[in-house]
């Protein structure tokens, strides 16, 4: 059961995520220091009292200031920097660079007077975006064991953790010539947001992280928590006397000290299922933060002997697990867009392409186990409704809507790129909001009643059906996301379908839980 809580969309930003600077901006009024920290801590996560700007003295605006910053990190006991990327299967991968080596690379770049964007980089095989979760290389154009890209660290995304003496940041793939790699998921979202700015728009995103805590029973064997009293918003589920509650509290405290002020925590319906609501941020910063928070949660749970999973349906007889995304349109000046003549074509554009978009938002064969009616999971019909949790798009207020047909196995850079690009195309094409507001569960309506609301299409029931819808959308491939990107993604996903189909149901479930 997906019962979300709406983020506070008028709250000030916590992190100013810019192309060329790291600046921490406090939004708290209760004395909480929402900054990155570096004090020595237990192995699970990061705590402390010093801000990221205290470590380096100045915001990172150049190679020189980044050298000072990395040197300060090393002096504070940070031994490794993880440069991360999220591949086509939403597998988080990383190269660990010792801080002394990171400093050396930055100093070399400074000597060459190189740009900040490529100041800290490591070489990675071009096969990195053409492999499955088991590292099997997929036969698709551009996939080869020959050749290398540069994985270039975005220093504005740096946060300490997810374990003691480590820092992590996200990277973008570039050719050796310095040109961006078109199939890089993070670069795609950056490009999508640049296109949005050309239309005078920016997008604010706020994610709800749903996850399930599991007990490890053995190698690749996980089971639900032993308590049978877990329920939606149940008081006892977050009792500090319970070990699961201790995991949540420790993770939230670590996040607060690392600059991420969680807005809400509550138990969800399935055994061991919880939801954490993140603050709204500009699109790229929001996705970077989502990935970081998931890493903190997973590391903290592991330190306590548990396992977190984002599996959309880890147990057939319980509620599913989603990753709802709240979205709000802003002008480039940061002011909320309240003009329905702008935001309605935007969301109409998403609805008009939703069947193909779901190839990115529900990106695993098991994702479609939770695409059902009557479970508050967004239903099975292409439509929208005001505060209607049985529709895939839920209008909250003005341009603030919630995308409900998203789960944790999606690559959020790709998913948000597909959603936002569809919305922008809706604005350009002046797509009318042909769907009338649905005020009830569309599944209970008669065919004639749905027809009056222009509810005519069902959501895909399988990943293959969603991939076929994506392939039929020529605009999505040719001008919105790029033909090479779509071709590579579809090939990898079809190979993933084949791999998972070779497994027995329980084996497949445990295999996915192990990785997500």
């Amino acid at each position: 059961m997906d019962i979300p809580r709406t983020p506070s969309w008028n709250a000030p930003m916590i992190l100013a995520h810019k192309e060329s600077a790291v600046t921490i901006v406090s939004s708290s009024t209760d004395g909480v220091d929402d900054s990155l920290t570096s004090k020595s801590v237990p192995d699970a996560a990061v705590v402390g009292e010093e801000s990221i700007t205290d470590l380096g003295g100045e915001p990172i605006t150049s190679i020189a200031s980044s050298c000072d910053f990395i040197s300060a990190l090393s002096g504070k006991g940070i031994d490794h920097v993880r440069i991360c990327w999220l591949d086509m299967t939403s597998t988080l991968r990383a190269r660990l660079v010792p801080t002394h080596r990171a400093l050396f690379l930055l100093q070399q770049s400074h000597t060459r007077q190189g740009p900040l964007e490529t100041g800290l980089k490591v070489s990675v095989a071009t096969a990195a975006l053409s492999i499955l979760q088991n590292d099997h290389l997929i036969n698709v154009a551009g996939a080869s064991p020959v050749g290398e890209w540069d994985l270039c660290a975005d220093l504005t995304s740096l946060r300490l953790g997810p374990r003691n003496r480590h820092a992590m940041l996200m990277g973008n793939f570039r050719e050796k010539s310095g040109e961006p790699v078109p199939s890089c998921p993070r670069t795609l979202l950056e490009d999508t947001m640049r296109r949005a700015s050309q239309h005078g728009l920016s997008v604010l995103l706020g994610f709800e992280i749903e996850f399930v805590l599991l007990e490890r029973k053995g190698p690749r064997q996980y089971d639900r928590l032993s308590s049978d009293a877990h329920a939606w918003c149940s008081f006892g589920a977050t009792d500090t006397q319970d070990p699961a509650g201790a995991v949540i509290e420790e993770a939230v405290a670590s996040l607060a000290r690392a600059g991420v002020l969680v807005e809400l925590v509550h138990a969800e319906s399935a055994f061991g299922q919880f939801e954490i609501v993140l603050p709204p941020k500009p699109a790229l910063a929001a996705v970077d933060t989502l990935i970081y928070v998931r890493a903190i949660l997973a590391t903290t749970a592991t330190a306590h002997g548990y396992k977190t999973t984002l599996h959309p349906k880890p147990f057939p007889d319980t509620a599913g697990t989603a990753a709802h995304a709240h979205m709000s349109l802003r002008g480039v000046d940061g002011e909320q867009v309240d003009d329905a003549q702008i935001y309605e074509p935007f969301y109409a554009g998403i609805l008009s392409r939703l069947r193909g978009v779901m190839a990115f938002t529900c990106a695993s064969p098991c994702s479609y186990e939770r695409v059902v009616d009557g479970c508050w999971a967004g239903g099975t019909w292409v439509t929208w409704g005001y505060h209607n949790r049985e529709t895939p798009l839920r209008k909250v207020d003005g341009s603030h809507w919630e995308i409900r047909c998203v789960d944790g196995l999606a690559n959020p850079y790709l998913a948000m790129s597909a959603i936002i690009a569809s919305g922008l195309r809706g604005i350009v094409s002046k797509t009318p909001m042909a769907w009338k507001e649905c005020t009830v569960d569309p599944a209970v309506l008669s065919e004639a009643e749905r027809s009056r609301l222009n509810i005519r299409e069902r959501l895909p029931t399988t990943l293959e059906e969603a991939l076929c819808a994506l392939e039929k959308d020529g605009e999505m491939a040719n001008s919105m996301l790029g033909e090479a990107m779509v071709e590579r993604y579809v090939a990898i996903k079809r190979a993933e379908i084949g791999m998972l189909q070779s497994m027995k149901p329980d084996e497949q479930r445990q295999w996915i839980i192990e990785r997500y």
Side-chain angles (χ1 to χ4, degrees), residues 185-203:
R186 192 171 187 272
T187 298
L188 178 63
L189 183 55
E190 286 184 323
D191 290 343
T192 302
M193 296 320 302
R194 273 192 284 270
R195 291 201 300 273
S197 67
Q198 292 170 0
H199 294 284
L201 293 174
S202 62
V203 177

Side-chain angles (χ1 to χ4, degrees), residues 6 26 56 72 160 169 191 203 242 245 247 259 302 313 327 459 470:
T6 304
S26 175
L160 303 191
L169 40 68
D191 290 343
V203 177
D242 188 287
V247 171
T302 299
K313 197 77 169 177
M327 180 175 293
L459 297 177
L470 175 61

Side-chain angles (χ1 to χ4, degrees), residues 9-24:
W9 291 87
N10 294 321
M13 294 300 98
I14 295 174
L15 173 66
H17 194 282
K18 303 180 183 297
E19 293 182 358
S20 60
V22 173
T23 307
I24 302 302

Side-chain angles (χ1 to χ4, degrees), residues 358-378:
M358 280 186 62
F360 296 105
T361 62
C362 294
S364 171
C366 66
S367 297
Y368 295 83
E369 295 176 25
R370 64 167 290 273
V371 181
V372 294
D373 294 314
C375 291
W376 293 27

Side-chain angles (χ1 to χ4, degrees), residues 320 410 451:
S451 180

